[in-house]
Amino acid sequence: MPGRSKTVVDTFDIVSPRADALMESLRATGYSLPDAIADLIDNSITADARNVRLNFHWAGSDSWVSIEDDGRGMSESRLVEAMRMGSTSPLEERAPADLGRYGLGMKTASISQARSVTVASKTTRDSATAVRRWDLDYLAESKDWRLLRSATERGLGLLTHLDEVRHGTLVIWERLDRLVGSAKATDARSRRHFLDAVRIVEQHVAMVFHRFMTGSRAVAFWINEQRIDPWDPFLTQNAATQQLPKERLGPAGSSIKVEPYVLPHHSRFKTPDEHAAAGGPAGWNAQQGFYVYRNRRLLLPGDWLGLGYRKEEHYKLARILIDLPNSLDHEWDIDVRKSKARPPLALRDELKRIARVTRERAVTVYRHRGKTISRTNLSGPVFVWNRKIKNKRVSYVVNREHPVVRETLRNKANDGPSISRLLRLVEEYIPIQQIWIDAAEGDENQSQPFESAASREIVELIQLLYRAYRSSGLTHQDALDRLKATEGFGDRFELVDQALLELKQNGAS
């Protein structure tokens, strides 16, 4: 019949990925060992675990890692589905507390570190333990998606750990080719590398999950039977920490929370060790910036989010918390490893504003070191040093109105103890951090010695130095050579000549 549409029946082929090739390719998704461990812990928290136990056992190439929790556990059918690559779509709606997204995390995280991954789980004390295992070497032989139903011989021994809990899940990593390779158990260097990796994992877990480690429903984390203490990036228990006003960003009713913090100056810490610990796993400079959380789980620790700010020494006290719901993963470009986040364009200006205010407050705390230097010339006698700017060139001068300085200047006797006290005061309060900031920011040129001094003042200083040199036993020529080598007025030969001529005329030369 004319005009009637014709139904087209598509023909197609089913093209399944080759199991061994895809699994080997997925190993290159970029997981670090700490990121991989954190991804597995996400599953434990989503399953309402109250205890998460990490075990690292060194035995050379036979080393193994296990992650055990007392969460809800999985039935056999649920476990099989959980072991499927892409078990859920990122487009599916998730429970608000779900820390997953792509249905890949546990599998890709595990195979990124191990060639044999066993998962065992049970849902009640009396239920049978369900066991499944991906073995990459077996996949290479079979060329098929064969999920094994048994643990390795070593894994069978570890499954007894589940007998001690009513319900829970155990993940076992074996053949850790990325971590230990073919190292022998007697290889001391490889063993140190292994133990260093354990230490880094502990620091990472303490940071990423610190908000789960406190409160009424706290989760306990253990590593080789030692409990992990939380690391709070914002030092909320330190009385010297400054919390700036909280904000909510986005449309009305948005659940994006932003909390800026300025951490204490190092002088407010009781010990150097306490200060070093507060710096975090990567150190003070690296840990500055935004901390992006999703459902209380830290995704990105210390980053300025591409907003045009650099990590610099004098901004290291600025840390800003951002709390996201898991419904905004796409807008914030959350990746499968949950280690990247980028704010949507609509929020960048607001975040940049918050960052600027926080950084300004942080540099003020950093600069003043307990209020020893003023940014401007204050008339009060509080600061030992004043910062001056003339013709866009910065200099630092001793505050003549400081009580100690003023009293010494008024003391006509100029006794030794008074001078010593003055020198001690000046030495203790040299504005090192302010000078460093000015040099780093590059917004001001440093003035040269005596650049703005009057010629008469310089002549008198030259005469004072000349007399001191001669009194110490130097000849006239040696004293003259030293004067001409002195920074600030050594190249102003006319003033040197004038000073010496006046001394000669007065009979002092």
Side-chain angles (χ1 to χ4, degrees), residues 154-435:
R154 181 187 297 107
L156 287 172
L158 296 176
L159 294 187
T160 58
H161 290 193
L162 287 178
D163 295 339
E164 302 171 9
V165 294
R166 294 173 56 187
H167 40 69
T169 300
L170 172 66
V171 180
I172 306 168
W173 292 351
E174 298 173 271
R175 302 207 300 279
L176 306 171
D177 59 333
R178 299 289 171 85
L179 181 59
V180 298
S182 58
K184 295 181 180 179
T186 55
D187 186 336
R189 182 178 180 181
S190 295
R191 182 175 182 274
R192 284 195 302 271
H193 173 72
F194 184 84
L195 295 177
D196 285 343
V198 175
R199 176 182 55 81
I200 293 171
V201 167
E202 180 178 4
Q203 292 176 333
H204 190 72
V205 171
M207 174 177 65
V208 170
F209 299 99
H210 73 96
R211 297 173 76 184
F212 292 92
M213 297 182 186
T214 58
S216 59
R217 294 284 292 170
V219 180
F221 294 81
W222 311 78
I223 189 164
N224 288 354
E225 302 306 318
Q226 298 295 316
R227 187 159 182 169
I228 301 175
D229 294 323
W231 180 74
D232 175 11
F234 312 106
L235 275 66
T236 52
Q237 299 304 310
N238 191 312
T241 295
Q242 300 179 33
Q243 182 175 2
L244 278 59
K246 301 178 183 180
E247 297 193 36
R248 286 187 177 272
L249 301 183
S254 172
S255 53
I256 300 176
K257 294 184 294 184
V258 183
E259 300 178 14
Y261 293 85
V262 176
L263 275 56
H265 186 269
H266 70 77
S267 62
R268 306 298 297 273
F269 290 89
K270 296 178 182 177
T271 66
D273 287 345
E274 183 184 19
H275 177 257
W284 277 95
N285 275 10
Q287 299 286 177
Q288 66 183 269
F290 287 97
Y291 285 68
V292 181
Y293 293 79
R294 186 187 67 169
N295 292 347
R296 298 192 298 149
R297 193 264 205 209
L298 181 59
L299 301 179
L300 191 63
D303 192 282
W304 289 116
L305 302 179
L307 298 176
Y309 296 119
R310 294 183 300 174
K311 291 187 176 182
E312 299 179 81
E313 167 76 13
H314 42 293
Y315 297 117
K316 66 183 182 182
L317 305 182
R319 296 178 183 173
I320 306 170
L321 181 153
I322 297 179
D323 236 335
L324 305 175
N326 64 6
S327 59
L328 295 179
D329 284 3
H330 178 69
E331 289 87 341
W332 279 74
D333 196 21
I334 308 299
D335 67 349
V336 67
R337 293 180 293 120
K338 286 169 279 190
S339 62
K340 184 187 78 169
R342 285 292 177 267
L345 184 62
L347 297 180
R348 291 178 66 85
D349 286 345
E350 286 296 288
L351 292 174
K352 193 169 185 176
R353 171 186 58 80
I354 294 170
R356 183 177 62 254
V357 171
T358 308
R359 282 163 62 93
E360 288 173 355
R361 180 72 64 87
V363 80
T364 300
V365 173
Y366 177 90
R367 171 184 293 129
H368 289 324
R369 300 177 57 198
K371 304 296 184 184
T372 62
I373 181 170
S374 171
R375 182 74 179 183
T376 59
N377 282 328
L378 300 181
S379 59
V382 177
F383 305 104
V384 176
W385 292 85
N386 282 332
R387 179 180 185 269
K388 296 179 67 176
I389 298 177
K390 184 177 182 180
N391 297 327
K392 296 185 178 181
R393 296 174 73 83
V394 66
S395 61
Y396 310 91
V397 296
V398 173
N399 180 10
R400 264 66 170 175
E401 294 303 312
H402 189 283
V404 175
V405 178
R406 184 174 56 203
E407 184 60 29
T408 303
L409 292 175
R410 289 178 177 176
N411 185 357
K412 295 182 179 180
N414 283 328
D415 59 288
S418 295
I419 299 297
S420 294
R421 283 194 295 271
L422 174 59
L423 292 176
R424 182 62 176 157
L425 185 74
V426 171
E427 289 169 347
E428 285 296 316
Y429 290 97
I430 294 174
I432 295 172
Q433 291 180 329
Q434 178 62 62
I435 294 170

